[in-house]
């Protein structure tokens, strides 16, 4: 029949085609290292770093987290999840991951070094590495997302999130050029746009797009209301776009209409957080689940962030520095790191099991997820995470007292996350090489 | 589409999910009798679902589209993986070993959910389109085997 030619295309055959385990794992295993770098940096710099969100230490730590932790995991997760969620595997996922990962690692380190060393030394290298990493990644993911035909709401969220990524990158690169080579462009406006598209676009829209699909599935909640699932990510994206255009065209001259757009975006995020928390209260499964805890923490932070964000992003508004810093902590650590960690605790043990069970000799050796990452270690890591969010917010208000304790706890949580993930990886390697010898 | 393969089998997924969660909750609460009853009900429902897919839907799909080594093959492989894990769960339940049961049920939950997702988002809609005129008769046969 006529249509059958279409079914034999790649989308039809893509229901499985999970990429090799190292494709996502090299990203997942690296993220806690960057979290640790950020924490050690804040520990070393102490209260001085917290004087302003523009301090070299805060800029470096922010980018170590946003690129080295959040973007790192999100890239690995997208490469892994596209075949399952969207029915569209990324072509040459292995090569893409092997190429993008080292460039992202080196580019992020170079960027942080440039911030810390006062600029110009390695910025050109950082820009070249990060720019190349993003070009390859965005091209590969876009090609796959254009072919995707499944799961309308989730694929739409992914597409909008990936559309926000080049905007964030171009804005970030413009800022780097302005800062390093003193080009006359409106710095403050571009910073706000960079922040909004990075956190509110790339990170936030991916979380919503994927969450709409996976929260009901893995956290056994009722589904999201259809009207929300279908319209939330396009609404937030349009609001960000409308606001950006007004900011670029009118600068601070059009505060009222720009304010309405940013209010709409914040409202969208608040709505998502409230609905997710309400759905989690109605979950069918009563077994304590570390992923649910991390997501709940993420949603409470997101809600706080949406409220706090209005005061930070409001055009012409100048909120006090501690509030601005708190907003960044809630967005990156409270929201971003929480949902990413929750996802890692679900996906990492499953991938270890999946890839072991695919080997004829490894089959049946490990069916119990709790043997892969200990529940106790995951729980300790969760409580450290919760403590570090509170301490970091405290450090924004009283850096003299809390800057170093907060950084120390944050380092511990990242180390423990790293150990938990590395333990799963060691177990996998051990079983694979053990079965190869026998 | 009110009367589609997608709707019928997605609804059956939900029924299986609910029985599975009920069994997990009962094991969590140390209610082994309730857990046993729910788990057996789940096993019957899940095995019937797999059998109907492998015996009725997949062959019809393969015959219509000519795709033999595509999604249906992957779904069969995942069914086999799940059947093995169901055996593990059953022996955990028999030994009243809570940690073993809940550790394995975590694996099953993720495997089952990602499997259902691929079927509901990709395979069923493809089957509905490909089999078009044959769908009502296929639905009838599946209902006769107890999927409703």
């Amino acid at each position: 029949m006529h249509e059958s030619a279409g079914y034999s295309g790649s989308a039809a055959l893509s229901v499985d085609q999970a990429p090799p385990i190292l494709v996502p794992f090299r990203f997942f295993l690296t993220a806690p290292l960057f979290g640790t770098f950020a924490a050690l940096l804040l520990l070393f710099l102490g209260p001085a770093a917290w004087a302003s969100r523009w301090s070299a230490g805060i800029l470096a730590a922010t980018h170590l987290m946003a690129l080295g932790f959040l973007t790192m995991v999100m890239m690995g997760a997208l490469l892994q999840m596209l075949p399952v969620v969207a029915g569209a595997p990324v072509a040459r996922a292995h090569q893409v991951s092997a190429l993008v990962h080292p460039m992202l690692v080196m580019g992020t380190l170079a960027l942080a070094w440039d911030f810390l060393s006062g600029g110009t030394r390695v910025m050109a290298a950082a820009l070249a590495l990060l720019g190349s990493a993003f070009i390859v990644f965005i091209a590969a993911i876009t090609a796959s997302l254009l072919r995707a035909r499944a799961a309308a709401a989730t694929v739409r969220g992914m597409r909008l999130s990936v559309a926000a990524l080049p905007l964030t990158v171009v804005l970030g690169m413009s800022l780097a050029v302005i800062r390093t080579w003193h080009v006359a462009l409106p710095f403050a406006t571009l910073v706000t746009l960079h922040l909004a598209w990075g956190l509110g676009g790339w990170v936030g829209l991916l979380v919503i797009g994927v969450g709409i699909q996976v929260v009901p599935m893995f956290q056994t909640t009722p589904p999201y209301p259809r009207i929300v699932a279908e319209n939330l990510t396009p609404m937030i994206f349009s609001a960000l776009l409308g606001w950006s255009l007004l900011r670029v065209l009118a600068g601070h001259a059009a505060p009222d209409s720009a304010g309405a757009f940013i209010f709409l975006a914040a409202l969208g995020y608040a709505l998502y957080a409230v609905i997710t928390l309400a759905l989690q209260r109605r979950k069918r499964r009563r077994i304590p689940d570390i992923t649910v805890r991390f997501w709940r923490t993420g949603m409470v932070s997101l809600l706080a962030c949406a409220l706090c964000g209005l005061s930070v992003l409001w055009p012409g508004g100048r909120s006090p520095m501690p509030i601005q810093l708190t907003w960044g902590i809630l967005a990156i650590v409270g929201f971003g790191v929480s949902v990413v960690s929750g996802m890692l605790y679900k996906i990492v043990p499953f991938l270890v099991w999946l890839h072991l069970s695919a080997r004829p000799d490894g089959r049946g050796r490990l069916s119990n997820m709790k043997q892969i990452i200990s529940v106790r270690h995951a729980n300790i890591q969760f409580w450290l995470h919760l403590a570090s969010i509170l301490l970091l917010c405290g450090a924004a208000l009283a850096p003299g007292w809390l800057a170093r304790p907060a950084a120390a706890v944050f380092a511990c949580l990242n180390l423990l996350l790293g150990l938990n993930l590395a333990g799963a990886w060691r177990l996998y390697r051990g079983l694979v090489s053990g079965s190869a010898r026998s | 589409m009110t009367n589609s393969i997608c709707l019928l089998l997605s609804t059956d997924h939900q029924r299986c999910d609910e029985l599975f969660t009920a069994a997990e909750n009962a094991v969590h609460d140390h209610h082994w009798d309730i857990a046993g009853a729910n788990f057996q009900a789940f096993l019957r429902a899940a095995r019937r679902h797999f059998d109907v897919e492998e015996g009725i839907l997949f062959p019809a799909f393969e015959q219509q589209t000519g795709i033999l080594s595509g999604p249906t093959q992957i779904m069969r492989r995942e069914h086999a993986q799940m059947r093995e894990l169901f055996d593990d769960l059953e022996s955990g339940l028999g030994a009243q070993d809570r940690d073993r049961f809940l550790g394995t049920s975590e694996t099953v939950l993720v495997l089952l959910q990602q499997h259902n997702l691929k079927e509901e988002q990709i395979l069923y809609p493809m089957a509905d389109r490909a089999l078009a005129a044959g769908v009502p008769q296929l639905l009838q046969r599946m209902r006769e085997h107890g999927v409703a």
Side-chain angles (χ1 to χ4, degrees), chain A residues 29-83:
Chain A
L29 292 169
T30 315
L33 283 177
F34 274 93
T36 310
F37 292 158
L40 292 178
L41 179 65
L42 292 176
L43 189 64
F44 175 73
L45 293 173
W50 295 84
S52 153
R53 61 185 266 214
W54 307 106
S55 81
I58 291 290
L59 284 175
T62 303
H63 287 82
L64 286 171
M65 290 309 294
L67 291 169
F69 193 108
L70 297 181
T71 299
M72 186 73 72
V73 177
M74 286 160 65
M75 282 184 166
L78 269 172
L79 291 170
Q80 173 64 40
M81 278 163 73
L82 275 172

Side-chain angles (χ1 to χ4, degrees), chain A residues 233-306:
Chain A
T233 51
M235 183 195 96
I236 294 174
F237 189 91
S238 312
L240 286 176
L241 200 61
W243 171 69
S244 304
L245 290 174
L246 282 177
R247 287 301 301 255
V248 170
L249 297 177
H252 290 291
D256 291 341
S257 44
F261 279 118
I262 207 64
F263 179 75
L264 199 62
L267 188 71
Y269 277 110
L271 192 68
Y272 180 73
V274 169
I275 292 176
T276 306
L277 288 167
L279 288 176
Q280 283 180 324
R281 285 178 64 88
R282 291 170 56 202
K283 72 187 175 76
R284 295 193 310 274
R285 205 164 175 253
R286 286 202 305 276
I287 295 148
D289 186 329
I290 194 81
T291 302
V292 176
R293 285 183 170 174
F294 271 111
W295 270 71
R296 200 168 272 157
T297 309
M299 291 304 118
V300 171
S301 303
L302 179 60
L303 190 58
C305 227

Side-chain angles (χ1 to χ4, degrees), chain A residues 1 7 12-13 15-16 87 149-151 213 217 284-286 288 346 350 353 357 363 367-370, chain B residues 24-25 28-29 64 67 70-71 74 77 81 84 88 102-103 106-107 110 113 117-118 121-122 129:
Chain A
M1 78 185 259
Y7 294 120
L13 300 177
V15 204
D16 189 48
R149 32 165 124 186
Q213 187 74 254
M217 283 171 58
R284 295 193 310 274
R285 205 164 175 253
R286 286 202 305 276
K346 210 45 122 193
F350 178 69
W353 173 83
S357 73
R363 183 180 290 264
S367 62
N368 185 335
M369 286 249 193
K370 290 172 186 168
Chain B
E24 275 191 299
N25 284 340
H28 176 66
D29 298 339
Q64 183 69 35
I67 306 168
I74 295 156
R77 203 178 64 217
Q81 287 176 321
E84 269 184 42
D88 286 357
L102 293 179
E106 186 82 23
T107 316
V110 182
Q113 292 303 327
L117 179 67
K118 288 188 284 197
Q121 302 292 354
I122 301 160
R129 283 196 301 271

